[in-house]
Amino acid sequence: MTVSPQLGALLHRSLRVYQVWGANTEVGKTVFSTILCGLTSTYRPDEKTAFLKPVSTGPAHEADGRHIPRFLPGIHSETLYQFDLPVSPHLAAQVSQKNTPSDKEVLSGILDFASCHASPNSGWLFIETAGGVHSPGPSGTTQADLYRPLRLPAILIGDAKLGGIAQTISAFESLKLRGYDVELVLLFQNDTYQNHSYLTPYFRENHSIPVQTAPLPPPFASSNPQSDTRNMQAYYTSTVTLSSLSSIPAHLSSSHKSRISRLESMPSTASQTIWYPFTQHQHLTRDRITVIDSAKDSHFDTLDPGTPSKSLLRPMFDGSASWWTQGLGHGNPTLSLAAAYAAGRYGHVMFAEAVHEPALALAETMLSGMRNERLKRVFYSDNGSTGVEVAVKMALGASRGRYRHGWEGEGMKKKAGVIGLKGSYHGDTMGAMDCSEPGVYNERVEWYEGKGAWLESPGVSDPLFQRTLVKVVRASPELFAGKRGHAHQSKDELDWSGLPVVFDEVFTGIYRLGRFCAASFLGVDPDISVHAKLLTGGLLPLSVTLASESVFRSFLSDDKSEALLHGHSYTAHAVGCQVALESLKEMIKMEENGEWDWALSSQHKSDDQSHRASSQQPDQVVGSRVWSVWSHELVEWLSWQREKGVEGVWALGTVLAIHMGCAGSSAGYKSTAARGLQAALLRGSDSDGSVHSRVLGNVLYLMAGQTTTEETVRRVERLIRQGLGDITR
Amino acid sequence: MTVSPQLGALLHRSLRVYQVWGANTEVGKTVFSTILCGLTSTYRPDEKTAFLKPVSTGPAHEADGRHIPRFLPGIHSETLYQFDLPVSPHLAAQVSQKNTPSDKEVLSGILDFASCHASPNSGWLFIETAGGVHSPGPSGTTQADLYRPLRLPAILIGDAKLGGIAQTISAFESLKLRGYDVELVLLFQNDTYQNHSYLTPYFRENHSIPVQTAPLPPPFASSNPQSDTRNMQAYYTSTVTLSSLSSIPAHLSSSHKSRISRLESMPSTASQTIWYPFTQHQHLTRDRITVIDSAKDSHFDTLDPGTPSKSLLRPMFDGSASWWTQGLGHGNPTLSLAAAYAAGRYGHVMFAEAVHEPALALAETMLSGMRNERLKRVFYSDNGSTGVEVAVKMALGASRGRYRHGWEGEGMKKKAGVIGLKGSYHGDTMGAMDCSEPGVYNERVEWYEGKGAWLESPGVSDPLFQRTLVKVVRASPELFAGKRGHAHQSKDELDWSGLPVVFDEVFTGIYRLGRFCAASFLGVDPDISVHAKLLTGGLLPLSVTLASESVFRSFLSDDKSEALLHGHSYTAHAVGCQVALESLKEMIKMEENGEWDWALSSQHKSDDQSHRASSQQPDQVVGSRVWSVWSHELVEWLSWQREKGVEGVWALGTVLAIHMGCAGSSAGYKSTAARGLQAALLRGSDSDGSVHSRVLGNVLYLMAGQTTTEETVRRVERLIRQGLGDITR
């Protein structure tokens, strides 16, 4: 099986690569590309310039790729895909006899071309797009999206015609909202419309981007092509000496250098400036800090100075799904636009006693998506930890309301706590910490004080145990009513009974384990449910704590101070709510359209597991809609790798957890086994790229996003197999 | 003095107003406007259609405003500003003899025109823009920004020409990132380029927006204008019967109705779905829920069904700065684009042991902005409350490291607490709550347990007292060293001494009180400083906890578990960091450019204050760069209103706090005085609009943003005077 190399951002140390975009068609992209090639080819005697037109439409003899060699014979100029019809590439490709290249093929072609021109000597490469920034490429993807994985620095050719100010700014915004850096704006000097006079201060003041102009080129006389060529030659000769333009190579060269030197200095600056979360800085050497230039889909583009002949940026699979948050892909333009729309419509608007559309629509969507009749109320906060604090305040307040008379005089306040599971984790604010059992980490924080009883689940998050626990609590209100109280029995079966049942679905919910609501695996409807992380598709923090009407009603009183006393300034911020709304809609649609069917449980048929170390795929428990992106073959294989230190493996939805231990032949593995696999994944391979992952104690976990392709997952699986092989060598 | 009415979003119940935008110039805006007028004028017999061209360029006899009456004589058509030169309005206005209208005048003209055409009967109004969406208006502001305060639903005329797919999508994105709702895309059916075949599924699938086409209009024969007119007449007659187009009035009418009915149902839905922060729902009747349709600059556009002849949306000054967060204005396009750029470049990327440009640049900018040599490290979290928890963990950990031997066997863990001020508030997560003294609110939360000694400041946040407290703590390490310990004296004066000093600048910092760092008012450099709210200019949650190197170093150890054990999944999310970076840059630039000089302390000269209730403007304390947007005259006047219940007034930076009490002639005022003023501000006046404000106990506070204009502040000041007058009546 041939595996295409991973596509990632393109940045060579010596070869300065720029992508030339047009604010419109017919704005002079090719003329400016020729000027840029002319300027750079004479900038330094030892530097070569190359030109690439990935996709060109119109008769081959008129193609932009041929224009440059005509005037600059020394320039290596190439066109990757040529279609004769002078229309948008997606149409031209349709009617052409040729095969339509995929986006990947176009990008691979560019990467190959750049590789061929990269050398230890400095050089230049200009890559010209076709039409406007959103003109579709051959596959139909608009170019702004198509070329984004390379994230090349952009030169925007502005529109000097009537209306061109609008075209130039809008094109710029489309590039910007996809994360491109525009380094330079060029346009013709049209003295009637004077667009340059407007755009120069506009880009300087708002975006610190220089605007340079060239005179309008001589008009064509279609009757006399030879004269046209002479005129253009004279035009090019004169333009390269213009002071406004002659500074361009130095500007581009300097911005290229600055970008690389900034990237290279970031670990050092970060190690002196940043205090990292959950990090022992004593152990954090500079070389362990990953520099992330940008990210796309399921991967980071990270600085990798070890391979001078290749791109300085290396695609790395985001194996922790960016701390469990990533779902709809890095650099997702739909989420960018959703964020920008809400920012443009509202900014943030205060939420107490007010309502706005994204917050209300998101509340409705969450409540209906849960399919839990108990849940009727949505409380917003900022992250999983604050969402858990809200849940605790809800549960404590509801219990106080019902039981306070029963416990009067018995110091109930001190006793109030949670019934929780051992080994649980609910966040790092003090109230959330107090919901977990004491342990080596918690106890280092002076104010931590575990407030509860901690039960041991017989297996890794055993569904039956958890369901039974809830049933017992709900059936036994007398356990909680106190000496002087009496067990509360409501006729409304949606009322909470015994204790309010809180599910922390911050990690498990919203399709992380394959379902909108992971409580459905247990067949239990909680009274309170906390959600965050994937809620916003992997873009920014937001949390919702959902509650039943009976919990809600216990806070109703004539006394204002009996209310739920919690709120953050940015509660229900419109940007977060809008992004979450788009994310949920998208994921619900993906489920409905069967876009994850390739990962459905059919491939996880149970077979004889008696020889395995420990393989849990709880599909037996949970019915038909269970899926795992991680293949049955991999899980099966892993479960036989006890001698390589694998103690157990667990896969569900997008999650794969590999427990490493000291069992088997490799004694002393305990502390380094997971680290060894992690390092092997990070090294990766030429064909399958590399994987950035996180380790929790002796567990290496991997996680895909909701838009991660099967091909990418299989790639990671090959690296896992190879990595475990590596360890024994 | 004549006061122009406040500009706000335009939404009439009966008059359906749409703004027609062009994806480019020459795409057929006027032809489609004519078609829209034709379709709607025959939609229902009793409905009238009007057409407005706010700004037109080119010879008057060719103006778009004259085109429509020629073909649809019954339509009321008007042009507000006509400039003869056929170039962009900003250029045409420059060379014209006429006065250039301000943005406000253009908007007022539209509002007036719409008011004239609003009636109890349904009707239609189409407002046509000039050129492309970003073509500059007469003042030079691009139209997408210029017209944003009205936030009219948009109809985008797509570009059917070569390259038009790109132009249409980019124009759409520019509208969307300013918060416009595009209801419909129209374009000509050009069978060569087939842009409509691409755009129809594109807009349907990605944005649920319908695309409709009309045939290309007949070509003009310049020699025969009469024949041209006949041909166009025939074209219009035939197009209005096309089934693709004839459905448009029903579509627009239905979306208009849906929008209003959704807005009207929101309070009811919200009161059944949302659990509001810090709100006693028992008291929350539906009519008290403010429906915020959108927001712009310093105001909300809120549903106000009480005035049927006017816009259903009423601009309301955001008097709490959206819970103290707002700085750079609602719907700020710079912040929208910054958010979108970071989303497009990264999404969220995990931060532990990684670094990305926005996080690093923001860290550098914060540290340099503070001008506190102690602060060297930046820890990211999600909001002020989590930022305070981080600060507490830092301070406790540092103290433990230094003092644990001294306190061994004395139960230091239980004793570890803060020295805090009475009346303080630091957030709602449990750890942050525990940093404030017990009170009626805290004690309702079972797990709250104030952990400290609470000192009473002799005055409202007395700077001298606070500075002295810090000095005493730093000079007296022996107080904290414990029986068996000895006072630690470092030679490095940047080391913490006594106890680590934490400043919670979540509210006070980043120019809320007029300076980047409010600690500078006290002349004290803390060891730890917490920032949030204005950090992101008022867009979304992010917090930084800054710390000194000596605090940081106390967590270094070979033991991983001695690290600072805190982190949130979205730590240092790129969108928040990029927005914060842009916000800080913008605010620092505003300060440097003297944009707040109108509010400088020169107007707050101290005079005899002996007769006042209590007026504090602590400019005496703090040197030359103190400013208050609230005028000296207002503060002076308020300080004399004791008989109207004013007990004290406090103004600094953007903040005004009015303490209401039971003193003076109006007994029983205590509980309702602030509420009375709040209600009067909410009623407002026709000329000065209204004010949405929040009350804290007996304090009504008001706050402006960093971009709030002096005119707006004075408007609010008039309402305050009027409101206090109202109360006595």
Side-chain angles (χ1 to χ4, degrees):
Chain A
M1 179 182 166
T2 311
V3 180
S4 56
Q6 268 205 296
L7 299 173
L10 176 52
L11 176 65
H12 284 282
R13 187 180 300 279
S14 51
L15 187 69
R16 312 171 191 98
V17 189
Y18 286 89
Q19 192 152 27
V20 179
W21 297 87
N24 201 341
T25 193
E26 298 293 313
V27 293
K29 276 197 306 294
T30 303
V31 171
F32 277 107
S33 291
T34 310
I35 290 174
L36 288 166
C37 287
L39 286 166
T40 52
S41 62
T42 55
Y43 175 58
R44 295 264 185 273
D46 55 340
E47 294 185 5
K48 289 195 173 170
T49 296
F51 174 83
L52 181 66
K53 183 93 181 180
V55 179
S56 180
T57 62
H61 64 276
E62 290 178 9
D64 302 333
R66 300 225 180 158
H67 183 88
I68 284 178
R70 197 181 311 151
F71 296 100
L72 297 168
I75 304 285
H76 183 195
S77 167
E78 204 169 304
T79 300
L80 291 181
Y81 299 95
Q82 167 72 38
F83 302 99
D84 292 342
L85 206 65
V87 295
S88 168
H90 75 292
L91 272 189
Q94 268 173 34
V95 300
S96 141
Q97 300 301 312
K98 306 174 188 171
N99 282 334
T100 301
S102 69
D103 293 350
K104 212 167 190 173
E105 285 168 321
V106 175
L107 297 177
S108 297
I110 294 174
L111 289 173
D112 290 347
F113 187 87
S115 284
C116 291
H117 287 79
S119 78
N121 295 327
S122 294
W124 301 86
L125 170 58
F126 295 96
I127 298 175
E128 191 185 308
T129 55
V133 301
H134 270 310
S135 291
S139 74
T141 309
T142 87
Q143 291 178 108
D145 287 326
L146 160 57
Y147 293 121
R148 168 60 183 79
L150 306 179
R151 211 182 77 87
L152 288 166
I155 296 173
L156 177 63
I157 311 304
D159 186 344
K161 302 188 298 292
L162 182 63
I165 292 173
Q167 307 315 305
T168 308
I169 298 174
S170 284
F172 169 77
E173 290 180 344
S174 289
L175 290 175
K176 191 87 180 167
L177 78 78
R178 281 163 182 78
Y180 288 98
D181 289 317
V182 177
E183 305 277 354
L184 180 64
V185 175
L186 297 170
L187 78 165
F188 291 133
Q189 191 156 347
N190 179 319
D191 290 327
T192 306
Y193 302 119
Q194 296 180 35
N195 294 353
H196 58 281
S197 306
Y198 184 92
L199 293 171
T200 302
Y202 183 93
F203 279 104
R204 185 182 58 230
E205 285 158 25
N206 295 309
H207 304 290
S208 305
I209 296 172
V211 176
Q212 301 293 357
T213 60
L216 280 167
F220 283 145
S222 57
S223 55
N224 191 343
Q226 282 187 335
S227 147
D228 282 351
T229 303
R230 272 198 309 278
N231 291 343
M232 277 310 287
Q233 191 72 63
Y235 171 80
Y236 285 130
T237 307
S238 67
T239 47
V240 295
T241 62
L242 289 172
S243 65
S244 60
L245 299 176
S246 61
S247 64
I248 288 175
H251 166 70
L252 295 181
S253 181
S254 141
S255 78
H256 177 80
K257 256 189 214 152
S258 306
R259 180 179 173 201
I260 292 173
S261 73
R262 173 67 168 173
L263 286 171
E264 291 181 331
S265 70
M266 284 171 79
S268 165
T269 313
S271 71
Q272 291 161 38
T273 313
I274 303 291
W275 190 335
Y276 280 105
F278 267 103
T279 301
Q280 178 48 265
H281 275 262
Q282 186 96 306
H283 304 154
L284 188 67
T285 48
R286 288 176 196 175
D287 61 301
R288 283 189 50 202
I289 297 179
T290 304
V291 177
I292 302 180
D293 173 78
S294 50
K296 185 64 185 159
D297 300 332
S298 299
H299 71 264
F300 303 140
D301 290 292
T302 63
L303 184 68
D304 182 10
T307 51
S309 65
K310 297 182 191 166
S311 174
L312 288 170
L313 299 176
R314 189 183 190 198
M316 211 177 261
F317 180 76
D318 175 7
S320 75
S322 278
W323 265 0
W324 320 348
T325 63
Q326 189 45 240
L328 295 178
H330 294 282
N332 180 314
T334 304
L335 298 192
S336 302
L337 200 56
Y341 167 72
R345 180 169 171 184
Y346 306 94
H348 166 61
V349 293
M350 74 102 60
F351 195 57
E353 300 185 18
V355 66
H356 56 80
E357 180 61 26
L360 190 59
L362 176 59
E364 293 172 307
T365 306
M366 272 308 296
L367 291 174
S368 74
M370 290 297 287
R371 296 187 197 170
N372 171 348
E373 284 189 24
R374 287 171 187 254
L375 302 177
K376 300 289 183 200
R377 293 279 165 179
V378 177
F379 192 101
Y380 283 101
S381 67
D382 292 347
N383 59 38
S385 195
T386 60
V388 165
E389 299 238 353
V390 170
V392 168
K393 288 185 179 180
M394 287 176 173
L396 289 173
S399 306
R400 175 189 65 219
R402 186 172 295 174
Y403 294 134
R404 66 180 137 197
H405 298 304
W407 289 91
E408 245 161 35
E410 293 190 58
M412 179 201 167
K413 182 166 174 172
K414 292 234 159 163
K415 285 187 186 170
V418 304
I419 296 176
L421 297 183
K422 290 204 171 197
S424 61
Y425 168 82
H426 301 289
D428 299 327
T429 55
M430 307 284 187
M433 289 178 72
D434 285 357
C435 295
S436 288
E437 61 169 339
V440 61
Y441 288 101
N442 287 337
E443 290 183 335
R444 301 294 171 122
V445 176
E446 281 72 7
W447 285 8
Y448 165 76
E449 188 194 338
K451 296 187 173 75
W454 319 107
L455 306 186
E456 188 140 26
S457 176
V460 180
S461 52
D462 183 314
L464 181 60
F465 177 81
Q466 294 184 57
R467 178 163 42 182
T468 306
L469 178 58
V470 170
K471 276 192 175 170
V472 170
V473 165
R474 285 185 168 162
S476 319
E478 69 283 359
L479 290 176
F480 312 104
K483 283 187 189 163
R484 305 173 197 198
H486 59 279
H488 175 96
Q489 294 288 3
S490 171
K491 284 176 193 167
D492 183 349
E493 62 178 20
L494 300 182
D495 275 6
W496 65 271
S497 175
L499 292 175
V501 174
V502 182
F503 278 8
D504 172 355
E505 290 226 32
V506 170
F507 172 75
T508 60
I510 316 204
Y511 299 109
R512 178 56 73 209
L513 299 184
R515 292 183 177 183
F516 189 99
C517 165
S520 64
F521 287 117
L522 310 188
V524 169
D525 283 345
D527 304 293
I528 298 169
S529 189
V530 189
H531 301 261
K533 297 194 197 290
L534 261 174
L535 175 63
T536 48
L539 191 60
L540 41 70
L542 185 75
S543 178
V544 289
T545 305
L546 312 177
S548 74
E549 200 67 12
S550 92
V551 170
F552 172 78
R553 276 199 305 267
S554 63
F555 284 80
L556 295 179
S557 159
D558 282 333
D559 183 353
K560 149 103 178 141
S561 67
E562 294 278 338
L564 177 53
L565 300 174
H566 199 102
H568 301 286
S569 309
Y570 283 102
T571 293
H573 55 106
V575 173
C577 292
Q578 187 76 39
V579 168
L581 189 60
E582 291 290 336
S583 298
L584 292 186
K585 277 188 194 165
E586 182 65 23
M587 288 191 267
I588 291 168
K589 197 169 75 182
M590 289 179 82
E591 184 180 29
E592 285 171 359
N593 292 351
E595 295 190 33
W596 301 315
D597 284 356
W598 59 272
L600 268 178
S601 55
S602 58
Q603 50 179 305
H604 298 283
K605 291 264 182 279
S606 171
D607 55 16
D608 181 14
Q609 301 186 7
S610 56
H611 292 98
R612 298 187 206 171
S614 157
S615 172
Q616 282 197 296
Q617 290 216 346
D619 41 359
Q620 305 87 333
V621 188
V622 292
S624 60
R625 295 292 292 171
V626 173
W627 56 281
S628 162
V629 302
W630 305 96
S631 71
H632 178 63
E633 291 71 25
L634 177 77
V635 174
E636 173 79 15
W637 182 84
L638 281 169
S639 70
W640 285 93
Q641 306 306 311
R642 196 174 185 122
E643 66 173 30
K644 291 180 181 159
V646 176
E647 283 217 320
V649 55
W650 191 97
L652 186 62
T654 65
V655 183
L656 174 72
I658 306 174
H659 295 250
M660 307 295 285
C662 57
S665 57
S666 314
Y669 240 21
K670 189 170 188 176
S671 55
T672 55
R675 292 272 171 204
L677 178 54
Q678 184 184 33
L681 291 172
L682 194 61
R683 278 194 304 277
S685 75
D686 283 347
S687 54
D688 289 323
S690 68
V691 176
H692 183 273
S693 65
R694 297 285 296 178
V695 157
L696 271 176
N698 67 329
V699 180
L700 184 131
Y701 63 86
L702 288 168
M703 220 167 284
Q706 271 54 37
T707 51
T708 306
T709 61
E710 182 173 11
E711 182 197 338
T712 301
V713 175
R714 299 298 165 250
R715 208 189 269 278
V716 174
E717 292 187 348
R718 283 193 295 274
L719 289 170
I720 294 170
R721 287 179 186 240
Q722 182 189 308
L724 278 170
D726 275 359
I727 287 172
T728 56
R729 264 181 256 139
Chain B
M1 179 181 166
T2 312
V3 180
S4 56
Q6 269 204 295
L7 299 173
L10 176 52
L11 176 65
H12 284 283
R13 186 180 301 280
S14 51
L15 187 68
R16 311 170 192 99
V17 188
Y18 286 88
Q19 193 152 25
V20 179
W21 298 88
N24 201 340
T25 193
E26 300 292 316
V27 293
K29 277 196 307 292
T30 303
V31 171
F32 276 107
S33 291
T34 310
I35 290 173
L36 288 166
C37 288
L39 286 166
T40 52
S41 63
T42 55
Y43 175 58
R44 295 265 185 272
D46 56 341
E47 294 183 5
K48 287 195 175 169
T49 297
F51 174 83
L52 181 66
K53 182 94 180 178
V55 179
S56 180
T57 62
H61 65 276
E62 290 178 8
D64 302 333
R66 301 227 178 154
H67 182 88
I68 284 177
R70 198 181 312 150
F71 295 99
L72 298 167
I75 303 287
H76 182 194
S77 167
E78 206 168 301
T79 299
L80 290 182
Y81 298 96
Q82 168 71 39
F83 301 98
D84 291 341
L85 205 65
V87 294
S88 168
H90 75 292
L91 272 188
Q94 270 172 34
V95 300
S96 140
Q97 299 300 312
K98 304 174 188 171
N99 283 334
T100 301
S102 69
D103 293 350
K104 209 165 192 173
E105 284 168 323
V106 175
L107 297 177
S108 298
I110 294 173
L111 288 173
D112 290 348
F113 187 88
S115 283
C116 291
H117 285 78
S119 78
N121 295 327
S122 294
W124 301 85
L125 169 58
F126 295 96
I127 299 175
E128 190 185 309
T129 56
V133 300
H134 270 309
S135 291
S139 73
T141 309
T142 86
Q143 290 177 109
D145 287 325
L146 160 57
Y147 293 122
R148 168 58 183 79
L150 307 178
R151 211 181 77 86
L152 288 166
I155 295 173
L156 177 62
I157 311 305
D159 186 343
K161 302 188 296 290
L162 182 63
I165 292 174
Q167 307 314 305
T168 307
I169 297 174
S170 284
F172 168 78
E173 290 180 345
S174 290
L175 290 175
K176 191 85 179 170
L177 77 80
R178 281 162 183 79
Y180 289 97
D181 290 319
V182 176
E183 305 277 354
L184 180 64
V185 175
L186 297 170
L187 79 165
F188 291 133
Q189 192 156 347
N190 179 320
D191 289 327
T192 305
Y193 301 120
Q194 296 181 35
N195 294 353
H196 58 282
S197 306
Y198 185 93
L199 293 171
T200 302
Y202 183 94
F203 279 103
R204 184 182 59 229
E205 285 158 26
N206 296 309
H207 304 290
S208 306
I209 297 171
V211 176
Q212 300 292 357
T213 60
L216 279 168
F220 282 145
S222 58
S223 56
N224 192 343
Q226 282 187 336
S227 149
D228 283 350
T229 302
R230 272 197 310 278
N231 290 343
M232 279 308 290
Q233 190 72 62
Y235 171 81
Y236 285 130
T237 307
S238 66
T239 48
V240 296
T241 61
L242 288 172
S243 64
S244 60
L245 298 176
S246 60
S247 63
I248 289 175
H251 166 71
L252 295 180
S253 180
S254 143
S255 77
H256 177 81
K257 254 190 213 154
S258 305
R259 179 178 174 199
I260 292 172
S261 73
R262 172 67 169 174
L263 285 170
E264 291 180 332
S265 71
M266 283 172 80
S268 165
T269 312
S271 71
Q272 290 160 38
T273 314
I274 303 290
W275 191 334
Y276 279 106
F278 266 102
T279 301
Q280 179 47 263
H281 275 261
Q282 185 96 304
H283 304 152
L284 187 68
T285 48
R286 288 176 197 176
D287 62 301
R288 281 190 50 204
I289 296 178
T290 303
V291 177
I292 302 180
D293 173 77
S294 50
K296 186 63 186 157
D297 299 333
S298 300
H299 71 264
F300 304 141
D301 290 292
T302 63
L303 184 68
D304 182 10
T307 51
S309 66
K310 296 183 193 167
S311 174
L312 289 170
L313 299 176
R314 189 184 189 199
M316 212 177 258
F317 180 76
D318 174 7
S320 75
S322 278
W323 262 0
W324 318 350
T325 63
Q326 188 46 238
L328 295 177
H330 293 283
N332 180 315
T334 303
L335 298 192
S336 303
L337 200 56
Y341 166 72
R345 179 169 172 183
Y346 306 95
H348 166 60
V349 293
M350 75 102 58
F351 194 56
E353 301 186 15
V355 64
H356 56 81
E357 180 60 28
L360 189 60
L362 176 59
E364 293 173 308
T365 306
M366 272 307 296
L367 290 175
S368 74
M370 290 297 288
R371 297 186 194 172
N372 171 348
E373 285 187 24
R374 289 173 185 255
L375 302 177
K376 301 288 183 200
R377 293 279 165 179
V378 177
F379 192 102
Y380 283 101
S381 68
D382 291 347
N383 59 39
S385 195
T386 60
V388 165
E389 299 238 352
V390 169
V392 168
K393 288 185 179 180
M394 287 176 174
L396 289 174
S399 306
R400 175 189 64 219
R402 186 171 294 174
Y403 294 134
R404 64 180 138 194
H405 299 302
W407 289 92
E408 246 160 33
E410 293 191 58
M412 180 202 166
K413 182 167 174 173
K414 292 235 158 162
K415 285 186 182 168
V418 303
I419 297 176
L421 296 183
K422 290 204 172 199
S424 61
Y425 167 83
H426 302 288
D428 299 327
T429 55
M430 306 286 185
M433 289 177 73
D434 286 356
C435 296
S436 288
E437 62 169 339
V440 62
Y441 288 100
N442 287 339
E443 292 183 332
R444 301 294 171 120
V445 176
E446 281 73 7
W447 285 7
Y448 165 75
E449 188 195 337
K451 295 186 173 75
W454 318 107
L455 306 185
E456 188 140 27
S457 175
V460 179
S461 51
D462 182 313
L464 181 60
F465 177 80
Q466 294 184 57
R467 176 161 47 180
T468 306
L469 178 56
V470 170
K471 278 191 175 171
V472 169
V473 165
R474 287 185 166 162
S476 318
E478 68 282 1
L479 290 177
F480 312 105
K483 280 186 191 163
R484 304 172 198 196
H486 59 278
H488 174 98
Q489 292 290 1
S490 170
K491 282 176 191 165
D492 184 349
E493 62 178 16
L494 300 182
D495 275 6
W496 66 271
S497 173
L499 292 175
V501 174
V502 182
F503 278 8
D504 172 356
E505 290 226 32
V506 170
F507 173 75
T508 59
I510 316 203
Y511 299 110
R512 176 58 72 210
L513 298 184
R515 292 184 178 183
F516 189 98
C517 164
S520 65
F521 287 118
L522 310 189
V524 169
D525 284 345
D527 304 293
I528 298 168
S529 190
V530 189
H531 300 261
K533 296 194 196 291
L534 260 173
L535 175 63
T536 47
L539 189 60
L540 40 70
L542 184 75
S543 178
V544 288
T545 305
L546 312 177
S548 73
E549 201 67 12
S550 92
V551 170
F552 173 78
R553 277 198 305 268
S554 62
F555 284 80
L556 295 180
S557 159
D558 283 332
D559 183 353
K560 150 100 176 142
S561 67
E562 293 277 338
L564 178 52
L565 300 172
H566 199 103
H568 302 287
S569 308
Y570 284 101
T571 293
H573 56 105
V575 173
C577 291
Q578 187 76 39
V579 168
L581 188 61
E582 291 289 336
S583 297
L584 292 185
K585 278 188 193 165
E586 181 65 24
M587 288 190 268
I588 290 168
K589 196 169 77 180
M590 290 179 81
E591 185 181 29
E592 285 171 0
N593 292 351
E595 293 189 35
W596 303 315
D597 284 357
W598 60 270
L600 268 176
S601 55
S602 60
Q603 52 179 303
H604 298 284
K605 292 263 182 280
S606 169
D607 56 14
D608 180 13
Q609 299 185 11
S610 58
H611 292 97
R612 300 187 203 172
S614 158
S615 171
Q616 281 195 296
Q617 292 216 340
D619 42 358
Q620 305 87 334
V621 188
V622 290
S624 60
R625 295 292 292 172
V626 173
W627 55 282
S628 163
V629 303
W630 305 97
S631 71
H632 178 65
E633 291 71 24
L634 177 78
V635 175
E636 173 79 16
W637 182 84
L638 282 169
S639 70
W640 285 92
Q641 306 307 311
R642 195 172 186 123
E643 67 173 28
K644 289 178 183 161
V646 176
E647 282 216 321
V649 56
W650 191 98
L652 186 62
T654 65
V655 183
L656 174 72
I658 307 173
H659 296 249
M660 306 295 286
C662 58
S665 57
S666 314
Y669 242 19
K670 189 169 188 174
S671 56
T672 55
R675 293 271 172 204
L677 179 53
Q678 183 185 34
L681 290 172
L682 194 61
R683 277 194 303 278
S685 75
D686 283 346
S687 55
D688 289 322
S690 69
V691 175
H692 183 273
S693 64
R694 296 285 298 178
V695 158
L696 270 176
N698 67 329
V699 180
L700 183 130
Y701 64 86
L702 288 168
M703 220 167 285
Q706 269 55 35
T707 52
T708 306
T709 61
E710 181 172 12
E711 182 196 337
T712 301
V713 175
R714 302 296 165 251
R715 211 190 266 279
V716 175
E717 292 188 347
R718 284 193 294 274
L719 289 170
I720 294 169
R721 287 180 186 240
Q722 183 189 309
L724 278 169
D726 275 359
I727 288 171
T728 56
R729 263 182 253 134

